[in-house]
Amino acid sequence: MIVKDIIDILDGEIICEGDLTQEIKTACGSDMMSDVLAFVKDQSVLLTGLINPQVVRTAEMMDMACIVFVRGKMPDQGIITLAESRGITLIKTRYRMFTACGKLYSNGLSGGTAV
């Protein structure tokens, strides 16, 4: 799967475009960035309802290619600018986190392991 596939599966809207052909192997859904940092390994995409700069910083530290904001959430320009400077694709989807994760999983994207 690539970033473009995620956009299609989630009926997503691109907020900030990075490399749409980057391979996505696993996903993580969380609103707690401390859990992402502590327990998530080798994830390529982060699904979250949290819209603050820490989300982009966490994704960068974890080498994530893409952040999906669920429930139609829209980050402010500061967050968008930060993601652009880091080459991270930002997407928003109208789906709730549970549904968005389920759609990605049913299309072959795994959740990886927690540790």
Side-chain angles (χ1 to χ4, degrees):
M1 184 174 295
I2 61 173
V3 174
K4 177 71 172 99
D5 296 328
I6 290 174
I7 296 165
D8 294 340
I9 291 165
L10 297 179
D11 300 320
E13 178 183 326
I14 299 171
I15 300 169
C16 166
E17 187 173 327
D19 181 1
L20 300 184
T21 64
Q22 189 164 353
E23 185 177 5
I24 302 295
K25 295 180 182 179
T26 56
C28 167
S30 182
D31 287 342
M32 295 186 64
M33 296 303 104
S34 59
D35 281 356
V36 174
L37 290 170
F39 300 111
V40 173
K41 304 292 181 231
D42 301 322
Q43 305 299 302
S44 302
V45 62
L46 172 63
L47 291 92
T48 188
L50 190 64
I51 51 170
N52 67 35
Q54 195 61 25
V55 173
V56 176
R57 291 188 182 103
T58 301
E60 179 186 26
M61 289 176 64
M62 303 302 288
D63 292 323
M64 294 180 170
C66 180
I67 301 168
V68 177
F69 295 104
V70 296
R71 300 186 305 274
K73 297 234 178 153
M74 182 68 175
D76 66 28
Q77 188 57 50
I79 296 168
I80 295 168
T81 301
L82 183 61
E84 286 173 339
S85 70
R86 305 303 195 267
I88 298 172
T89 299
L90 300 182
I91 301 164
K92 73 175 184 174
T93 182
R94 61 187 163 87
Y95 296 113
R96 294 180 179 185
M97 190 177 315
F98 181 82
T99 303
C101 290
K103 284 180 163 289
L104 293 176
Y105 183 81
S106 67
N107 279 276
L109 192 61
S110 75
T113 58
V115 283

